[in-house]
Amino acid sequence: MFSLTLKRLAEAALLAFVLASCEKKGPANASGIGGKIIVLTNRTDVVDTKLQEYKDAFEKKYPGTDVEFEAITDYEGTVRTRMSTKEYGDVLCRPSIQTVDYPKYFEPLGTIEEFKEKFNFTQGSNAIDYQGKAYAYPVMGVVGGGIVYNKKVFEKAGVPIPRTQDDFYGALETIKRKTDAVPIFMNYPAGWTLVQWEGGATAFTGDPEYKNKMVHEDTPFVPGAPHFELYKIMYEVVRRGLCERDLLSSDWEMSKQELADGKIGCMVLGSWAIPQIKELASNPDDIGYMPMVAEVDGRKYAEATLDMPLCINVNSKNKATARAWIEFIVHDTDWIEFNESIPAVKGGAYPAVLDAFKEAGVTYFEMNKPPVGEESFYDVLDKDSEIGFWSDPEKKRIIDAAMGTTSETFEQIMDDWNKRWATARKNRGIN
């Protein structure tokens, strides 16, 4: 009797230990969904509001789960640094890395063929896949490099939405003359805000093969070429004094509020920024979004591209819950509507905020993927030449020249880019 009692006590203790161990590790149901996950996000503006709503709803749907957010201001720089370790959350918005590195950092989520059946933005140059496997989950699309503007400011100045560069300069000059608003705000100190201009380059071509052709050219930065024409606008609005007077001291959060209040006429930003600024406006309908001021043979184009797809850290110890969170955000929340974005899930409608694009007759397109064997050419040449399409040093260089801080001209900067690009092509043996 005594021995049997001890045996039962031992079995009970063992069972309690096993159950406790399972509870500590997290997933405790048949699907494996449970326990804690860490979600990295760049949305510092809604981490304590909208994302908390989703957290509560998710944890209610999946009892025993716990979602913790890490909101990061310098998302790209911070996350890429953390990716040198294994500690970069369980779920993260994909930072800008080469597709060849996807398997090193991200968990495969399925085949690209499966994803093509369900989602938009799976076949463009902003690839989510490598060698047939999808490593990022499409959430929403955005129009890069458009212009967020305050309608009241433009109405007060009596200027219509500009279509071309010259129209744009004229509109900004009129705003400066007839209103108290800063015509266009650059946000020079932030740096990443200047990078937003890069999304507008493709509006100057309308050619989905532009980047694939560019890697085989020695001088892609000449008058008439997309990058030349785009950054000439950046240079000119500063040179002509159409932006803030004190370029060296500004603040992103402040600029959003001032655009919302009509103290700023416009800023070049991706469409992702629209809801952030609308939220600050006393009348959200005062905030609009216009196409980049570019035409190709009288027609306007805009690149619609995937924005911040979600990935799972390949080192995550709770991949089932991480996957459940991603699918919950895309399929069970109003995140796409809240951001006034283009749904990645096929069949969704474009948001009303893009009506100005429709009225302007804009044709949307995605950049084509590079040919097989050339997948890394564009990124490699960008890195080797140190032009940094999606980084800010060369943008600041352009503004410094426009301010007169340096003695070089815009044309000299473009000549330098051409030389560096050609050297990078030669060193890489890209013909």
Side-chain angles (χ1 to χ4, degrees), residues 173-364:
E173 286 165 357
T174 301
I175 289 171
K176 183 178 181 179
R177 187 173 68 253
K178 291 187 175 182
T179 77
D180 295 327
V182 175
I184 184 170
F185 204 82
M186 306 303 290
N187 249 315
Y188 174 98
W192 67 265
T193 47
L194 303 179
V195 179
Q196 293 293 300
W197 286 66
E198 178 63 21
T202 49
F204 291 82
T205 174
D207 181 2
E209 283 292 317
Y210 163 62
K211 293 179 182 178
N212 296 334
K213 294 174 181 176
M214 183 178 169
V215 299
H216 297 289
E217 299 173 359
D218 268 347
T219 56
F221 310 110
V222 293
H227 281 94
F228 184 101
E229 296 300 326
L230 172 70
Y231 289 113
K232 185 65 182 295
I233 297 174
M234 175 183 279
Y235 177 86
E236 285 294 326
V237 296
V238 175
R239 187 186 70 82
R240 300 184 188 202
L242 300 174
C243 61
E244 63 268 35
R245 288 184 180 179
D246 186 2
L247 276 158
L248 301 181
S249 61
S250 63
D251 176 79
W252 163 241
E253 296 297 335
M254 174 205 70
S255 69
K256 286 195 298 182
Q257 186 65 64
E258 293 193 345
L259 178 56
D261 294 341
K263 296 178 181 179
I264 293 172
C266 64
M267 293 193 288
V268 175
L269 294 164
S271 60
W272 59 266
I274 300 167
Q276 294 190 34
I277 297 166
K278 278 189 167 186
E279 188 177 11
L280 299 171
S282 56
N283 180 11
D285 290 338
D286 287 347
I287 306 305
Y289 196 59
M290 70 174 79
M292 179 52 68
V293 287
E295 287 189 345
V296 181
D297 298 326
R299 299 190 64 179
K300 296 188 75 67
Y301 295 89
E303 181 184 1
T305 184
L306 187 64
D307 183 55
M308 294 301 231
L310 296 175
C311 303
I312 297 174
N313 182 345
V314 71
N315 305 295
S316 171
K317 299 296 191 294
N318 200 351
K319 293 174 183 176
T321 306
R323 177 67 178 256
W325 170 259
I326 291 174
E327 294 183 348
F328 177 80
I329 290 295
V330 174
H331 302 290
D332 296 336
T333 73
D334 63 350
W335 183 240
I336 287 87
E337 293 81 4
F338 174 75
N339 285 284
E340 300 191 63
S341 297
I342 304 167
V345 176
K346 287 188 173 181
Y350 275 48
V353 74
L354 294 179
D355 284 351
F357 284 61
K358 184 177 180 179
E359 294 167 5
V362 170
T363 299
Y364 296 98

Side-chain angles (χ1 to χ4, degrees), residues 391-402:
S391 58
D392 62 83
E394 289 295 308
K395 282 76 172 174
K396 288 187 173 181
R397 178 186 178 188
I398 290 169
I399 292 178
D400 288 342

